[in-house]
Structures are given as structure tokens and as C-alpha cells.
Amino acid sequence: MPDLDWNQATWSSDANWRDHGEEWSAHWGGTEALWREVIAPRIAPLLPARRAVEIAPGHGRCTEWLRRSCDSLVGIDLNPECVAACRSRFDGEQGLEFRVNDGRSLPGVEDASVDLVFSFDSLVHVDREALSSYLREVARVLAPGGAAFLHHSNLGSHRRLCALSRRLTGPPVPYRLGRWLRRNLLINPAWRAEDVSWRTVRRDAAAAGLVCVSQELVNWENRARLVDCFSVLRRAPDVDIGQALPEPIANRGFMRQARQIRARSLGSG
Ligand SMILES: C[S@@+](CC[C@H](N)C(=O)[O-])C[C@H]1O[C@@H](n2cnc3c(N)ncnc32)[C@H](O)[C@@H]1O
């Protein structure tokens, strides 16, 4: 399971930034299409933001788009190399700032000062301990009425299947056959945190003083297994918790939608 050391080592290596993260948008035909058709519709109710924080921006793939709807944005990443890449990419841009952190806190962000905390395609690799620390930080920095959109792992909902998949698809099974079996029949863990699920996030959010107002489970790089979750969180005082929280939405069509978006965006390009 990925931990802070794994995240530090993996994302400080140039080998994983051949196209500055654009390569991960290929499922949707590019970052513009990913933003326009996947991310923007999901965060539209949370924008525009006066002040935003992006956790783990990497080389700024989403920052490029998110910044257009924010007066100011602070990007905070574990890896100094990623922070340097963002500083260089957005050099001279007003209202943008990038900081290195310890992988679990939001240094220099004042209490109750932020309208939106955003993170996409990063916290999936972050374990429960670090993620719950971020949830406490989100509760600390959100201003009244503010919200967080966090993309995190849901592998914790499939622990037995993960163990079975490891047993049945590891060596001596040939790599390509193992990958096919994981993606199509068992589960493709894709370096997600195995101790995080939509339930643990709900629980840890509540302990931090936050409420998950919506959760969407998606089959990222899997045929059917819902390995990821998009959670929208608000401060408990802003939410009427007299009502039952909504059940998560199970979106097994997420990768099919990606293929449709890709076909449209490449067709129109
Ligand atoms: C797969 S990259 C994605 C970057 C960016 N969100 C994107 O979509 O292009 C993962 C990023 O998460 C950062 N990261 C991993 N664990 C972290 C943590 N615990 N706290 C802050 N950043 C972290 C890495 O340094 C890297 O920049």
C-alpha cells in the first residue's frame, strides 16, 4: 500500500512526469475534456471561489483550469520538485502560490479562510492516517459556507477481493495476463490506499467536524469495481444534520463515459 515514503519517491522522479501529468488525461482525450466534462460539472456548485487550496497539484494539470474560477489559489504538495514545477509553470501569475508540506497538513493557511479545498487524482494514493489528518486540516481552514471536493480511494470497500487478486495474479502469472485478470475479473488496485473507503472518510470527516454531503463511487481503470470516490464535504455547522446523509452514488459507467468523452473530444479536434 502506498505510504508517504512511496509518494515521496514516486512523484519526485522525472520518469513519472514525462508529459507533466497530461498523459493521465488520455482516457478522456486530454485535460481540457477531462476538466470540461468530468471535473467542472461536479464542482460547479462550489465555484467561483474567493480563496482556494489545491492539495497535491503535481505539475499543475488541474490548477491550470481551477485557477480560472478562483481569485487566489494555494497549491500544496509533498514533493519540492512538484512545487518547483508549478512555480515555473505559473511564474508571474497573480494570486497563485505553491508550498511544500509534510504530506498531511496545510501549512500557512489561516483558520476559516478558504472557500474551496480541491484535490483530484492524488489523495487516492494517501492512506487513512494522512487523509484523516487532511480532513482535520480541511475543517480548520474552511470558511463558513466553504466546501471541499476530495478524490480519494475506495479500495477499503474491497479488501478481501484485493487479497484474492494479489494471490491469483502475482508471479508466476505472466504480467499481461495478471493485469487483464485484475482489470476485468478481479480488481485493479492501481496503487490506491487499501485502508480508505467512502465509509472511513465519512467517519473521519465526522470526527473532524465535517459532513460528507455527497459521495460518488467510480470504477477508475477497472471494469466494474468502484475503487475511487469523489467526496464533497462541508463544515458540520453549515449542514442540517437532522436529515439522513445520502447514500453514495455508484457510477459504474465512469470509464465508459471517459471513452465517450475521448471519442467526442478527439473527433472534434
Ligand atoms: C498522480 S500525481 C497527480 C497530480 C495532480 N493532482 C494531477 O492530477 O496531475 C500525485 C501528486 O500527489 C502528491 N502527493 C502524494 N501524496 C501526497 C500527500 N500526502 N500530500 C501532498 N501531496 C501528495 C505527489 O507529490 C504528486 O504531485
Side-chain angles (χ1 to χ4, degrees):
M1 189 165 76
D3 57 12
L4 283 185
D5 289 343
W6 181 89
N7 274 295
Q8 197 120 49
T10 303
W11 308 116
S12 63
S13 156
D14 282 349
N16 289 317
W17 294 104
R18 276 188 211 98
D19 201 13
H20 302 285
E22 284 302 310
E23 57 271 46
W24 307 319
S25 300
H27 291 301
W28 296 271
T31 302
E32 182 174 355
L34 168 67
W35 185 266
R36 193 184 53 237
E37 303 221 29
V38 177
I39 304 175
R42 286 169 170 83
I43 64 171
L46 317 179
L47 292 173
R50 196 178 42 84
R51 192 164 165 75
V53 166
E54 182 178 357
I55 303 176
H59 284 204
R61 175 171 64 136
C62 294
T63 323
E64 177 70 45
W65 297 90
L66 179 61
R67 71 194 170 98
R68 301 171 193 207
S69 304
C70 308
D71 291 346
S72 69
L73 184 153
V74 182
I76 300 184
D77 199 288
L78 172 66
N79 274 294
E81 296 81 359
C82 294
V83 167
C86 280
R87 284 181 181 152
S88 148
R89 177 171 182 165
F90 301 109
D91 186 30
E93 300 242 358
Q94 290 289 309
L96 290 185
E97 204 186 313
F98 297 93
R99 296 180 196 150
V100 180
N101 77 347
D102 56 1
R104 47 190 303 124
S105 63
L106 301 176
V109 183
E110 283 171 29
D111 295 0
S113 64
V114 170
D115 308 306
L116 174 68
V117 178
F118 171 88
S119 190
F120 187 81
D121 206 3
S122 289
L123 296 179
V124 288
H125 307 298
V126 168
D127 64 21
R128 184 173 179 185
E129 208 263 314
L131 191 60
S132 57
S133 172
Y134 273 132
L135 290 169
R136 290 191 291 278
E137 283 289 84
V138 168
R140 178 181 71 75
V141 304
L142 277 187
F149 176 90
L150 303 182
H151 173 194
H152 57 82
S153 173
N154 183 45
L155 216 54
S157 297
H158 309 276
R159 293 192 86 152
R160 283 209 198 120
L161 190 59
C162 287
L164 181 70
S165 185
R166 261 194 303 276
R167 267 211 311 283
L168 296 182
T169 69
V173 177
Y175 174 76
R176 287 166 75 99
L177 174 61
R179 193 179 57 183
W180 188 90
L181 288 169
R182 282 193 294 278
R183 288 195 176 178
N184 292 290
L185 294 180
L186 294 158
I187 191 164
N188 173 21
W191 301 107
R192 269 58 187 147
E194 214 174 302
D195 62 351
V196 174
S197 69
W198 65 268
R199 281 195 182 83
T200 65
V201 169
R202 252 182 206 214
R203 228 173 279 142
D204 295 342
L210 296 168
V211 177
C212 284
V213 292
S214 77
Q215 291 186 298
E216 177 186 359
L217 308 176
V218 298
N219 57 332
W220 194 284
E221 291 186 1
N222 272 261
R223 178 179 286 240
R225 310 297 175 197
L226 299 167
V227 294
D228 286 8
C229 180
F230 303 130
S231 288
V232 175
L233 304 115
R234 290 191 181 274
R235 299 160 68 248
D238 296 342
V239 180
D240 177 5
I241 46 174
Q243 294 180 354
L245 289 180
E247 283 298 298
I249 295 163
N251 181 2
R252 288 194 175 75
F254 187 73
M255 294 310 290
R256 190 180 62 244
Q257 287 154 10
R259 287 193 290 277
Q260 290 164 350
I261 292 167
R262 182 168 190 275
R264 269 203 304 279
S265 81
L266 297 183
S268 66

